[in-house]
Amino acid sequence: LEVTEEVQEVCVYGHSDDVWAVAFHPTRPHCAATASDRQLRLWDTGARRLERQAVVGFAARCVGFSSRALEADGGTHHVAVGGAKGELLVLLESSLQPVHRAKDSREGLTDLKYSPDGRLLAAATADAWIDIYNAARGYQRVQRCSGHSSTIRGIDWSVDSSVLQSDSADLELLVWNARTGKQIPIPSRDISFATYTLRLGFPVMGIWPDGSDGTDINAVARNRRGDLLATCDDSGLVKLFSCPCVLDDAPHRAYRGHSSHVMGVRFNCDDSLVVSVGGYDWAMFQFAVVDLDPPAEHGPAPPQKVWGALDPEGRSYGWTYTPYDVRAAGAAAAAAAAAAAIGTAAAGAAPGDVISSPPVRPARGAAAAAAAGRYAGGSPPSREPSSSPPP
């Protein structure tokens, strides 16, 4: 509210109870729907305002947009809302007018997903089964996938709309044939899924922090490009991971803001925005997805002080930026001295004399080898032992 002496103006209408789920429109980047208590709300996230709302008449727990326009005008999508006691309500996106009502679950709906071709709607339930409805035939129920032993938490469709995957509260991941409703024994990692919102599976192995018991993370979302994962948890954090996330306790970025546990998180259709919804704080947070600039290239590292010689002779040492190389300086000095000696000898010689370096005395081993070579033809001459003591 903006309150002045003359008028009281409502700036933003908000939620009046816990927010349980959020979903984005498949083609409009700034259109989001939230399920809160007994109401469905459509938001314009760009203008940060409420577009439309409707009272659904039951405790709403999940929401989902149809992946394609399902009306004759070719532009109107459907919005499906699931209730805590098994209610299913489908409305028109444009006017929120009801299209279909059903109640095939006793324990409540936990997730709703339309197939990528827009023909089928899958409803996950707390009864441990998945109901599949044919949207093209007035939402007639065509299959029921039974096999889980606990509440189903999430479902995803394959890209070709033929396969479903689901996870449950007892940490079980199953894959289903959507046409027959039967479980199929193939690994989910061998299938390309249009969305990934399960908490289990190969691409999300590293999202669980140390000490998790399987209930800490409330929602997962993968962006359309398939290179980012967003999660929300009971600690009030929204986290961003790289996808696939397979390292144990993988590196991530964590964002605060919610004052309570976070119930839902989703990317919009162009991957430019992440929206999270809180439980007890009744809040909806928007996060802009931006590419980080590459690290700036720095020049050469500045010189560092080292411990070294302060003079060429190595008489003193200390910390310096440019130490002398004493060994190199000594070698250069020796070479200069030898050159000077040869130059002095050349200056004192007569014309025509041959100038040579002074003879080098061979080592003992070399002298012994030379002697052995000199007497190779016979034994060396005998020498009388000397009576004088050795030097």
Side-chain angles (χ1 to χ4, degrees), residues 174-237:
L174 298 181
V175 183
W176 310 90
N177 186 323
R179 184 178 62 85
T180 63
K182 302 296 183 182
Q183 182 181 344
I184 50 180
I186 61 175
S188 62
R189 66 174 179 270
D190 297 335
I191 304 171
S192 178
F193 288 95
T195 60
Y196 207 102
T197 58
L198 304 192
R199 302 157 184 83
L200 304 177
F202 175 77
V204 296
M205 291 168 53
I207 65 174
W208 296 96
D210 292 337
S212 298
D213 60 358
T215 63
D216 307 84
I217 297 178
N218 298 318
V220 176
R222 185 192 66 188
N223 67 345
R224 290 202 173 189
R225 289 188 304 179
D227 60 346
L228 293 176
L229 283 171
T231 68
C232 58
D233 55 34
D234 289 340
S235 301
L237 297 176

Side-chain angles (χ1 to χ4, degrees), residues 74-161:
T76 302
H77 291 68
H78 287 180
V79 186
V81 185
K85 295 185 178 180
E87 304 91 342
L88 173 63
L89 177 63
V90 182
L91 307 98
L92 296 178
E93 164 216 348
S94 57
S95 61
L96 297 185
Q97 178 183 352
V99 174
H100 176 76
R101 292 179 182 270
K103 190 176 185 301
D104 296 314
S105 168
R106 298 184 300 270
E107 299 296 331
L109 303 186
T110 57
D111 195 12
L112 291 167
K113 291 285 194 327
Y114 280 87
S115 61
D117 60 10
R119 294 178 57 252
L120 302 174
L121 169 65
T125 70
D127 304 276
W129 65 62
I130 303 171
D131 286 328
I132 300 178
Y133 301 89
N134 192 326
R137 297 180 182 177
Y139 289 92
Q140 176 187 358
R141 197 185 78 187
V142 292
Q143 289 297 340
R144 172 167 286 179
C145 306
S146 300
H148 278 288
S149 56
S150 183
T151 298
I152 300 174
R153 299 191 299 182
I155 49 178
D156 289 308
W157 284 95
S158 63
V159 173
D160 59 2
S161 303

Side-chain angles (χ1 to χ4, degrees), residues 362-376:
R364 291 186 177 183
R374 192 180 313 123
Y375 300 109

Side-chain angles (χ1 to χ4, degrees), residues 147-316:
H148 278 288
S149 56
S150 183
T151 298
I152 300 174
R153 299 191 299 182
I155 49 178
D156 289 308
W157 284 95
S158 63
V159 173
D160 59 2
S161 303
S162 64
V163 175
L164 274 170
Q165 69 171 353
S166 58
D167 67 340
S168 58
D170 59 353
L171 306 182
E172 186 178 36
L173 174 62
L174 298 181
V175 183
W176 310 90
N177 186 323
R179 184 178 62 85
T180 63
K182 302 296 183 182
Q183 182 181 344
I184 50 180
I186 61 175
S188 62
R189 66 174 179 270
D190 297 335
I191 304 171
S192 178
F193 288 95
T195 60
Y196 207 102
T197 58
L198 304 192
R199 302 157 184 83
L200 304 177
F202 175 77
V204 296
M205 291 168 53
I207 65 174
W208 296 96
D210 292 337
S212 298
D213 60 358
T215 63
D216 307 84
I217 297 178
N218 298 318
V220 176
R222 185 192 66 188
N223 67 345
R224 290 202 173 189
R225 289 188 304 179
D227 60 346
L228 293 176
L229 283 171
T231 68
C232 58
D233 55 34
D234 289 340
S235 301
L237 297 176
V238 177
K239 297 180 180 179
L240 188 67
F241 296 84
S242 295
C243 183
C245 178
V246 297
L247 299 177
D248 185 25
D249 197 9
H252 60 273
R253 293 178 178 270
Y255 304 92
R256 297 186 179 274
H258 288 279
S259 61
S260 179
H261 57 279
V262 190
M263 296 302 299
V265 63
R266 287 293 183 268
F267 285 90
N268 65 347
C269 63
D270 63 0
D271 293 340
S272 64
L273 199 67
V274 172
V275 163
S276 61
V277 291
Y280 295 148
D281 62 9
W282 305 358
M284 181 169 66
F285 279 64
Q286 298 185 52
F287 300 89
V289 180
V290 296
D291 294 327
L292 297 179
D293 295 331
E297 295 184 1
H298 300 284
Q304 301 291 328
K305 283 187 175 182
V306 295
W307 183 266
L310 301 179
D311 54 69
E313 294 77 14
R315 293 191 180 93
S316 60

